[in-house]
Amino acid sequence: MKQRPAFPAKLDTAVRARTGAQGATVAPSASMARVPAVPQPQGLGMDSTAVRMNMVQKLRGQGITDAAVLAAMGAIERHRFVDSGLVNQAYEDTSLPIGLGQTISKPGVVSRMAELMRNGASGKIGRVLEIGTGCGYQAAVLSLLATEVYSIERLRGLHDKARDNLRHLRLPNVHLLFGDGMEGYAKGAPYAAIIAAAGGEAVPQAWVEQLAVGGRLVAPVVTGTGKGSAQALLVLDKTPQGVRQTLLEPVHFVPLKSGVA
Ligand code: SAH
C-alpha cells in the first residue's frame, strides 16, 4: 500500500499560476520534490490533484518552463482520457493505447510541443489547428493555451471517443472535426499555430498555407527512409520573409495517414 502525501498541507503551498489558465495550479518545486510516494489514481472522480502535481514537477525537471503549459498540464485530468484498466499509468510519462491502434502522447511530449507552439507568448495564443484528436487529451490541454482549438481526427471511432471524453469538461473553444487532417481545415485559417500528433514524410502544403504569417507549426516528421524509420520534431515558422524550419530531437509518433476510416 502506497502512502498518500500529506494533504492538504503540501498542496496549501501550491501557487496560483500567473497565466490565468482556469483553476490551474502549479506546485512550487521544493515542497513537491519531498512528496514521498505517488498515490495511484483509483478511477474517475478521485482526487488526482497530488499525483498530477507530481507529474507537473517531473515536467519541470525535464526542462518545461512555460508557466501556462505547466498550469494546463496540472489542470487537465489525463486519467479521464484513458481506459479504466490504464488509469494507474495515466500520470506516468508514457504513451498509452487509446484503441484502433493509436496512442495518447506522453505528457512530456504534449508539454514540449505546447511550449514550442506558444513560443514564449504571454497570454493565450489565437486559433490552433490540431491534427490527430485521438482521445482528445491534447485538445483539452490546448484549450487552456489558445483562444480556439480546431482538432481533426480521421478515425470515426476516436472522433466519437474524444467527444465523449471532452463532454464533461464543457470547453466551448474546442471544435472537434472528423476528416483528413492532411488537408488541414481551411475554414478556421489562418492559424496562430498548427500542431500534429502524427508523423508524415513531409509537411502537407495545406498546413503551411493555413498557417498565419508569424505562426508556428510543430509536427513530427520522418527523417530516415524505410519502414519504421526515425522521426524528429519539426518547428516551422512562417515569417514575412518565408518559411524557416528547425529540426529538433527524435520523437516517436503514430503515422500520419490520408483519408478517413
Ligand atoms: N493528440 C492525441 C494523440 C492521438 S495519436 C491525444 O491526445 O490523444 C494521433 C492521432 O492522429 C491518431 O488518432 C490518428 O488516427 C490521427 N491521424 C493520423 N493521420 C491523420 C490525419 N491525416 N488526419 C487526422 N488525424 C490523423
Side-chain angles (χ1 to χ4, degrees):
M1 188 66 192
K2 293 201 173 174
Q3 202 191 336
R4 278 183 69 86
F7 183 85
K10 293 284 185 193
L11 294 175
D12 279 349
T13 58
V15 290
R16 279 271 151 203
R18 285 185 300 268
T19 56
Q22 300 156 351
T25 56
V26 179
S29 45
S31 67
M32 288 310 290
R34 284 196 296 273
V35 171
V38 177
Q40 299 295 305
Q42 305 281 305
L44 303 187
M46 61 163 292
D47 181 0
S48 56
T49 309
V51 69
R52 202 163 39 259
M53 287 306 129
N54 192 286
M55 176 190 80
V56 167
Q57 195 51 39
K58 287 184 185 149
L59 296 175
R60 279 177 187 276
Q62 289 174 24
I64 304 297
T65 58
D66 186 323
V69 172
L70 292 167
M73 297 300 290
I76 301 299
E77 298 181 322
R78 192 171 185 258
H79 71 274
R80 289 183 182 266
F81 292 83
V82 298
D83 291 345
S84 52
L86 297 170
V87 159
N88 283 354
Q89 297 170 64
Y91 295 104
E92 290 171 17
D93 196 17
T94 180
S95 55
L96 294 168
I98 54 173
L100 302 177
Q102 309 303 315
T103 54
I104 179 173
S105 307
K106 288 158 55 144
V109 167
V110 171
S111 52
R112 168 76 167 141
M113 291 177 83
E115 182 165 85
L116 287 167
M117 174 198 88
R118 284 176 44 77
N119 197 17
S122 49
K124 276 190 170 188
I125 64 169
R127 289 192 300 278
V128 169
L129 175 66
E130 180 194 32
I131 318 297
T133 313
C135 66
Y137 171 71
Q138 180 167 269
V141 170
L142 295 176
S143 77
L144 302 179
L145 303 171
T147 57
E148 302 293 331
V149 178
Y150 295 85
S151 182
I152 309 186
E153 174 57 56
R154 65 177 287 275
L155 297 177
R156 172 69 76 179
L158 287 176
H159 169 72
D160 291 344
K161 184 178 217 166
R163 207 190 10 248
D164 286 348
N165 286 341
L166 290 171
R167 189 167 288 125
H168 80 280
L169 285 174
R170 292 189 184 84
L171 300 169
N173 65 337
V174 174
H175 312 282
L176 298 183
L177 309 158
F178 173 62
D180 181 358
M182 300 254 263
E183 297 163 15
Y185 182 65
K187 285 185 187 155
Y191 298 100
I194 298 179
I195 191 160
E201 303 284 332
V203 170
Q205 193 53 37
W207 298 1
V208 180
E209 282 165 11
Q210 291 171 23
L211 196 61
V213 174
R216 176 171 267 204
L217 182 152
V218 185
V221 287
V222 173
T223 50
T225 50
K227 213 171 148 48
S229 56
Q231 297 173 345
L233 214 47
L234 174 78
V235 169
L236 182 154
D237 288 307
K238 187 165 168 181
T239 75
Q241 291 76 40
V243 159
R244 190 174 59 228
Q245 303 192 53
T246 313
L247 216 46
L248 302 170
E249 69 269 19
V251 283
H252 189 72
F253 278 83
V254 297
L256 182 71
K257 294 187 174 171
S258 57
V260 295

Coordinates of all heavy atoms in Angstrom, one line a residue, residues 102-105 130-135 137-138 152-155 158 179-182 197-198 254-257, ligand 1:
Q102 N -4.0 3.3 -32.0 CA -3.5 4.7 -31.8 C -3.1 4.9 -30.3 O -3.5 4.1 -29.4 CB -4.5 5.8 -32.2 CG -5.0 5.6 -33.6 CD -3.9 5.5 -34.6 OE1 -3.0 6.3 -34.7 NE2 -4.0 4.5 -35.6
T103 N -2.4 5.9 -30.0 CA -1.9 6.2 -28.6 C -2.1 7.6 -28.2 O -2.1 8.5 -29.0 CB -0.4 5.8 -28.5 OG1 0.3 6.6 -29.5 CG2 -0.1 4.4 -28.6
I104 N -2.3 7.8 -26.9 CA -2.3 9.1 -26.3 C -0.8 9.4 -26.1 O 0.0 8.6 -25.6 CB -3.1 9.2 -25.0 CG1 -3.0 10.6 -24.3 CG2 -2.6 8.2 -24.0 CD1 -3.9 10.7 -23.1
S105 N -0.4 10.7 -26.5 CA 1.0 11.0 -26.4 C 1.5 11.1 -25.0 O 0.7 11.4 -24.1 CB 1.3 12.3 -27.1 OG 0.8 12.3 -28.4
E130 N -5.2 21.3 -34.5 CA -4.5 20.1 -34.1 C -4.9 19.0 -35.1 O -6.0 18.7 -35.4 CB -5.0 19.7 -32.7 CG -4.3 18.4 -32.2 CD -4.9 17.7 -31.0 OE1 -6.1 17.8 -30.8 OE2 -4.2 17.1 -30.2
I131 N -3.8 18.3 -35.6 CA -4.1 17.2 -36.5 C -3.9 15.9 -35.6 O -2.9 15.6 -35.1 CB -3.0 17.1 -37.6 CG1 -2.7 18.5 -38.2 CG2 -3.5 16.1 -38.7 CD1 -3.9 19.2 -38.9
G132 N -5.0 15.1 -35.5 CA -5.0 13.9 -34.7 C -5.5 14.1 -33.4 O -4.8 14.2 -32.4
T133 N -6.8 14.1 -33.3 CA -7.5 14.4 -32.0 C -7.3 13.2 -31.0 O -7.1 13.4 -29.8 CB -9.0 14.5 -32.2 OG1 -9.3 15.4 -33.2 CG2 -9.7 15.0 -30.9
G134 N -7.2 12.0 -31.6 CA -7.1 10.8 -30.7 C -8.2 10.8 -29.6 O -9.4 10.9 -29.9
C135 N -7.8 10.7 -28.4 CA -8.7 10.6 -27.3 C -9.1 12.0 -26.8 O -10.0 12.2 -25.9 CB -8.1 9.9 -26.1 SG -6.7 10.7 -25.3
Y137 N -7.2 14.4 -25.4 CA -6.4 14.9 -24.2 C -5.7 16.2 -24.6 O -5.8 17.2 -23.9 CB -5.4 13.9 -23.7 CG -4.5 14.4 -22.7 CD1 -4.9 14.8 -21.4 CD2 -3.1 14.6 -22.9 CE1 -4.1 15.3 -20.4 CE2 -2.3 15.2 -22.0 CZ -2.8 15.5 -20.8 OH -1.9 16.1 -19.8
Q138 N -4.9 16.1 -25.7 CA -4.1 17.3 -26.1 C -5.0 18.5 -26.4 O -4.7 19.6 -26.1 CB -3.1 16.9 -27.2 CG -2.3 18.1 -27.6 CD -1.1 17.7 -28.5 OE1 0.0 17.4 -28.1 NE2 -1.4 17.7 -29.8
I152 N -8.8 17.8 -35.7 CA -9.3 16.9 -36.7 C -8.8 15.5 -36.4 O -7.6 15.3 -36.1 CB -8.7 17.3 -38.1 CG1 -9.0 18.7 -38.4 CG2 -9.4 16.4 -39.2 CD1 -8.6 19.1 -39.8
E153 N -9.7 14.5 -36.6 CA -9.4 13.1 -36.5 C -9.9 12.4 -37.7 O -11.0 12.6 -38.1 CB -10.0 12.6 -35.1 CG -9.8 11.1 -34.9 CD -8.4 10.6 -35.0 OE1 -7.5 11.1 -34.3 OE2 -8.1 9.7 -35.9
R154 N -9.1 11.4 -38.2 CA -9.5 10.7 -39.4 C -10.2 9.4 -39.1 O -10.8 8.8 -40.0 CB -8.3 10.4 -40.3 CG -7.3 9.5 -39.7 CD -6.2 9.2 -40.7 NE -6.6 8.3 -41.8 CZ -6.6 7.0 -41.7 NH1 -6.2 6.4 -40.6 NH2 -7.0 6.2 -42.7
L155 N -10.2 8.9 -37.8 CA -10.9 7.7 -37.4 C -12.2 8.0 -36.7 O -12.1 8.6 -35.6 CB -9.9 6.8 -36.5 CG -8.7 6.3 -37.2 CD1 -7.8 5.6 -36.2 CD2 -9.0 5.5 -38.5
L158 N -12.4 7.2 -32.9 CA -11.7 8.1 -32.0 C -12.3 9.5 -31.9 O -12.3 10.1 -30.9 CB -10.2 8.2 -32.4 CG -9.4 6.9 -32.0 CD1 -8.0 7.0 -32.5 CD2 -9.5 6.6 -30.5
G179 N -12.4 14.2 -40.3 CA -11.9 14.4 -41.6 C -10.4 14.0 -41.7 O -9.8 13.6 -40.8
D180 N -9.9 14.3 -43.0 CA -8.5 14.0 -43.2 C -7.7 15.3 -42.9 O -7.8 16.3 -43.7 CB -8.3 13.6 -44.7 CG -6.8 13.3 -45.0 OD1 -6.0 13.5 -44.1 OD2 -6.6 12.9 -46.1
G181 N -7.0 15.2 -41.8 CA -6.2 16.4 -41.4 C -5.1 16.8 -42.3 O -4.5 17.9 -42.2
M182 N -4.7 15.9 -43.3 CA -3.7 16.3 -44.3 C -4.1 17.5 -45.1 O -3.3 18.2 -45.6 CB -3.4 15.1 -45.2 CG -3.0 13.9 -44.5 SD -1.2 13.5 -44.8 CE -1.2 12.4 -46.1
A197 N -0.1 15.5 -34.2 CA 0.1 14.4 -33.3 C 0.4 13.1 -34.1 O 0.4 12.0 -33.5 CB -1.0 14.2 -32.3
A198 N 0.7 13.2 -35.4 CA 1.0 12.0 -36.2 C 2.1 12.4 -37.2 O 2.1 13.6 -37.6 CB -0.2 11.5 -36.9
V254 N 2.6 7.9 -34.0 CA 1.9 7.1 -34.9 C 2.0 7.8 -36.3 O 2.1 9.0 -36.4 CB 0.4 6.8 -34.5 CG1 0.4 6.1 -33.2 CG2 -0.3 8.1 -34.4
P255 N 1.9 7.0 -37.4 CA 2.0 7.6 -38.7 C 0.8 8.5 -39.1 O -0.4 8.2 -38.7 CB 2.1 6.4 -39.7 CG 1.6 5.2 -38.9 CD 1.7 5.5 -37.4
L256 N 1.1 9.5 -39.8 CA 0.1 10.4 -40.4 C -0.4 9.6 -41.7 O 0.3 9.2 -42.5 CB 0.7 11.7 -40.9 CG -0.1 12.8 -41.5 CD1 -1.1 13.4 -40.4 CD2 0.7 13.9 -42.1
K257 N -1.7 9.4 -41.7 CA -2.3 8.7 -42.8 C -3.3 9.5 -43.6 O -4.0 10.4 -43.0 CB -3.0 7.4 -42.3 CG -2.0 6.4 -41.7 CD -2.7 5.1 -41.4 CE -1.6 4.1 -40.9 NZ -2.3 2.9 -40.4
Ligands
SAH1 N1 -3.4 14.2 -29.6 C1 -3.9 12.8 -29.4 C2 -2.9 11.9 -29.9 C3 -3.5 10.9 -30.8 S1 -2.4 9.9 -31.7 C4 -4.3 12.6 -27.9 O1 -4.1 13.5 -27.1 O2 -4.8 11.5 -27.6 C5 -2.5 10.6 -33.3 C6 -3.9 10.6 -34.0 O3 -3.7 11.1 -35.3 C7 -4.5 9.2 -34.2 O4 -5.7 9.1 -33.5 C8 -4.6 9.1 -35.7 O5 -5.8 8.4 -36.1 C9 -4.6 10.5 -36.1 N2 -4.3 10.8 -37.5 C10 -3.3 10.2 -38.3 N3 -3.4 10.7 -39.5 C11 -4.4 11.7 -39.5 C12 -4.9 12.6 -40.5 N4 -4.5 12.6 -41.8 N5 -5.9 13.4 -40.1 C13 -6.4 13.3 -38.9 N6 -6.0 12.5 -37.9 C14 -5.0 11.7 -38.2

